């Protein structure tokens, strides 16, 4: 009996030491993981829910998504163009971050710093305009007479829908291929998380200086 009691006391001591070894960082890590999940899904609305309202580091993402939304106007571009645009947008976000791994989680006063090693596509150094310009010029040359006829008989809107519908697959296909072929870069992101009631929000995202 004494041996059993001694074993029980040892186990309780180990559990106690483990509990005192440091606060759990599961909540902070979960917030950062949600950030990457929402980014991959291109869901900027949900991504904003894990960031503070004054987090200016996500402004570029919000602006980019807003510009994409302009391409989703069926009345202006037609359904074919919008469908192809949506495929392109989904691909751009899904492939942006190739992989990531949480490197460390550190207390910083009342806040936490989550350091993440990231492999991501270098979208800043790709040229989407040259090939798409060639596609547009070729199309205009080959279909000029047809487009003029549509314009005269059906009006400008019908002509534009014809252009957008015909070129959408080729243009967005070329852009998707270019973005998928973008160089992978290794970098490190530092997320600052601040307490928000019983949860945490990202207040700042900093990229390691090259």
């Amino acid at each position: 009996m004494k041996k059993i009691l001694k074993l029980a006391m040892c186990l309780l001591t180990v559990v106690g030491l483990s509990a005192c070894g440091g606060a759990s960082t599961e909540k902070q890590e979960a917030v950062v993981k949600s950030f990457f999940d929402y980014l991959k899904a291109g869901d900027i609305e949900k991504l904003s829910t894990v960031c503070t309202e004054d987090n200016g580091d996500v402004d570029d993402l919000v602006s980019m998504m807003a510009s994409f939304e302009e391409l989703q106007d069926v009345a202006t571009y037609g359904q074919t163009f919008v469908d192809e645009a949506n495929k392109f947008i989904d691909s751009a976000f899904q492939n942006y971050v190739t992989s990531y791994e949480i490197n460390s989680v550190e207390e910083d006063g009342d806040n936490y710093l989550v350091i993440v090693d990231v492999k991501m596509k270098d979208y800043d150094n790709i040229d989407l305009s040259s090939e798409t310009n060639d596609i547009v010029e070729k199309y205009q040359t080959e279909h000029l007479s047809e487009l003029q006829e549509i314009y005269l008989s059906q009006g400008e809107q019908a002509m534009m829908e014809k252009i957008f519908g015909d070129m959408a697959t080729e243009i967005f296909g070329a852009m998707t291929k270019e973005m998928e072929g973008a160089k992978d870069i290794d970098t490190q992101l530092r997320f600052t998380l601040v307490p928000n009631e019983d949860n945490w929000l990202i207040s700042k995202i900093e990229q390691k200086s090259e």
Side-chain angles (χ1 to χ4, degrees):
M1 177 65 72
K2 288 183 179 180
K3 288 183 178 180
I4 294 175
L5 288 174
K6 188 173 182 179
L7 176 60
M9 290 300 295
C10 288
L11 290 173
L12 288 172
T13 301
V14 171
V15 171
L17 289 173
S18 298
C20 296
S24 170
T25 60
E26 289 182 1
K27 284 188 175 182
Q28 293 85 355
E29 292 183 38
V31 170
V32 172
K33 289 176 181 177
S34 293
F35 174 90
F36 283 105
D37 288 343
Y38 298 148
L39 177 61
K40 194 174 186 66
D43 194 333
I44 303 303
E45 185 174 340
K46 283 188 177 180
L47 187 146
S48 298
T49 65
V50 296
C51 298
T52 58
E53 292 183 2
D54 61 350
N55 186 339
D57 298 310
V58 297
D59 287 348
D60 288 343
L61 290 172
V62 174
S63 298
M64 182 170 65
M65 198 61 195
S67 66
F68 283 151
E69 288 176 356
E70 295 176 5
L71 303 177
Q72 298 173 315
D73 185 353
V74 176
T76 300
Y77 299 107
Q79 190 63 54
T80 299
F81 183 92
V82 171
D83 289 343
E84 293 299 323
N86 285 332
K87 290 179 186 177
F88 167 72
I89 294 167
D90 289 344
S91 176
F93 279 106
Q94 286 171 6
N95 293 306
Y96 186 36
V97 174
T98 306
S99 63
Y100 74 91
E101 182 177 355
I102 294 177
N103 181 301
S104 63
V105 182
E106 308 165 4
E107 284 189 82
D108 183 30
D110 293 331
N111 304 330
Y112 273 85
L113 299 178
V114 181
I115 312 300
V116 184
D117 296 325
V118 182
K119 184 184 290 290
M120 60 197 302
K121 292 291 186 182
D122 185 12
Y123 284 167
D124 290 336
N125 290 305
I126 58 175
D127 180 14
L128 296 177
S129 60
S130 59
E131 189 167 355
T132 54
N133 287 339
D134 291 341
I135 293 172
V136 172
E137 289 179 9
K138 180 182 177 183
Y139 177 84
Q140 289 177 334
T141 301
E142 294 178 350
H143 296 82
L144 182 59
S145 298
E146 180 185 6
L147 294 174
Q148 288 175 334
E149 183 177 336
I150 293 174
Y151 177 79
L152 292 173
S153 61
Q154 301 178 45
E156 182 180 2
Q157 180 61 31
M159 181 191 71
M160 295 307 297
E161 287 188 20
K162 167 70 174 172
I163 293 172
F164 291 133
D166 286 352
M167 293 196 304
T169 300
E170 189 173 3
I171 284 182
F172 285 118
M175 292 170 65
T176 298
K177 183 178 179 181
E178 190 72 25
M179 296 184 82
E180 288 177 346
K183 178 183 176 182
D184 284 328
I185 57 174
D186 294 311
T187 189
Q188 197 172 72
L189 299 179
R190 186 171 81 163
F191 293 79
T192 300
L193 276 72
V194 297
N196 179 57
E197 296 180 355
D198 62 343
N199 209 337
W200 297 82
L201 293 176
I202 300 167
S203 66
K204 185 183 296 184
I205 306 170
E206 299 170 288
Q207 185 170 0
K208 181 184 70 174
S209 301
E210 298 298 334

